[in-house]
Amino acid sequence: MRVGKDCILHQIIGIPMGTNPAVFIANLFCFTFEREFIKNLINKNRIDILKKFLLSARYVDDLISIDNEYAYRFLTTPNNTIVMDGIKGVYPPYLTISQEQSSTSTVSILDARISKRNNTWITSLYDKREHPPLNKVQNIVYPDVDSFLSSSAKYNVITSQLHRYLNICSQKVDFLQSARKLIDYCLIEKSYKEKIIFHKVSRFLNNYENLYTIQNPKNTFLKLLFPNRYPY
């Protein structure tokens, strides 16, 4: 349809994005193909291949598969094409699966980075806005302290973010680095009150008696996070 110089397009192929149920539709759509793939493996008694997909996961359109030499063969082959021994590919031909990362030592998925340090696999925080091309775009992450949001809504982000960092960061140094960035560069620079920030962090640490195998982590972490302000 054309209205003046404007053209209105009607989507007839693919999943509509941007609507409230879009994420649920996409998950259900992809799940139907994944379920058939698993059923096929079980019927063919290829439990060896099925076990290789135990460390594979998908969140909407982001896929990760760890230690799985079969992943790329089955995921990038259309589901109507037999890959081996009567087993077909997972997704239909109109879903293009591209390998975005080729490193065997570091990989990012959503807001987490999986990497290898000293022969140990660890997880840390990943923010795609800090990397090209999004690092050239100015992002306003947290509201200004003078905004009309309630005080609790503005300051409770500290607790929620610290919980997120704790769940993602497997090492103390990465947790502290993320927390310091939140406190110093995101909140204090926006004129959030340091004393309230301090008490929010203190209350969060009260819930953990042995964080990252550190005895009495509260005092230790507060001194590291607030080197010039501890104690009040």
Side-chain angles (χ1 to χ4, degrees), residues 1-231:
M1 178 186 300
R2 183 175 295 277
V3 181
K5 296 182 179 180
D6 298 323
C7 184
I8 300 175
L9 303 178
H10 176 63
Q11 179 181 343
I12 58 175
I13 299 177
I15 299 174
M17 303 304 293
T19 61
N20 290 338
V23 172
F24 304 102
I25 295 174
N27 273 329
L28 183 61
F29 178 79
C30 292
F31 168 76
T32 58
F33 297 103
E34 295 156 357
R35 181 175 180 270
E36 288 302 312
F37 175 70
I38 293 174
K39 285 175 61 179
N40 196 12
L41 289 177
I42 295 175
N43 293 335
K44 297 290 183 180
N45 199 28
R46 291 307 304 264
I47 308 302
D48 56 326
I49 299 179
L50 187 59
K51 287 182 177 179
K52 284 293 183 178
F53 280 87
L54 286 175
L55 296 179
S56 300
R58 175 183 57 79
Y59 182 82
V60 190
D61 60 345
D62 288 310
L63 279 161
I64 184 171
S65 192
I66 301 175
D67 191 26
N68 183 2
E69 65 267 27
Y70 296 110
Y72 196 70
R73 294 173 61 186
F74 284 107
L75 294 176
T76 58
T77 305
N79 68 334
N80 58 353
T81 303
I82 294 178
V83 178
M84 57 182 292
D85 298 336
I87 303 172
K88 299 178 181 180
V90 181
Y91 299 109
Y94 46 83
L95 285 183
T96 302
I97 309 297
S98 58
Q99 186 177 1
E100 295 184 353
Q101 303 169 69
S102 58
S103 173
T104 58
S105 59
T106 301
V107 64
S108 60
I109 176 72
L110 302 176
D111 60 347
R113 177 189 286 110
I114 305 171
S115 55
K116 203 171 189 179
R117 293 182 192 170
N118 300 323
N119 294 322
T120 301
W121 289 100
I122 66 167
T123 55
S124 56
L125 202 67
Y126 174 79
D127 190 346
K128 63 182 180 182
R129 294 169 300 188
E130 298 177 353
H131 304 275
L134 295 181
N135 63 335
K136 297 179 181 179
V137 180
Q138 183 179 7
N139 289 288
I140 302 176
V141 183
Y142 301 103
D144 191 270
V145 72
D146 294 326
S147 68
F148 290 111
L149 289 174
S150 67
S151 179
S152 60
K154 287 180 287 191
Y155 283 96
N156 282 344
V157 70
I158 300 170
T159 304
S160 62
Q161 287 291 68
L162 290 179
H163 276 291
R164 184 168 74 96
Y165 302 160
L166 182 59
N167 288 329
I168 294 177
C169 299
S170 58
Q171 292 196 341
K172 177 189 68 174
V173 60
D174 295 313
F175 173 84
L176 287 171
Q177 183 179 7
S178 300
R180 282 294 297 273
K181 182 178 179 180
L182 170 69
I183 293 169
D184 290 340
Y185 301 110
C186 296
L187 300 180
I188 291 180
E189 280 195 0
K190 286 179 171 287
S191 300
Y192 279 65
K193 296 180 180 179
E194 298 178 19
K195 191 169 185 177
I196 298 179
I197 297 174
F198 177 87
H199 287 299
K200 285 287 184 181
V201 175
S202 180
R203 288 184 61 183
F204 170 82
L205 294 173
N206 277 335
N207 296 322
Y208 301 95
E209 297 180 356
N210 199 336
L211 185 61
Y212 293 105
T213 67
I214 298 176
Q215 298 296 329
N216 192 14
K218 179 180 177 181
N219 289 338
T220 302
F221 276 50
L222 287 177
K223 290 177 181 177
L224 292 172
L225 292 173
F226 301 90
N228 300 322
R229 314 176 187 94
Y230 179 88

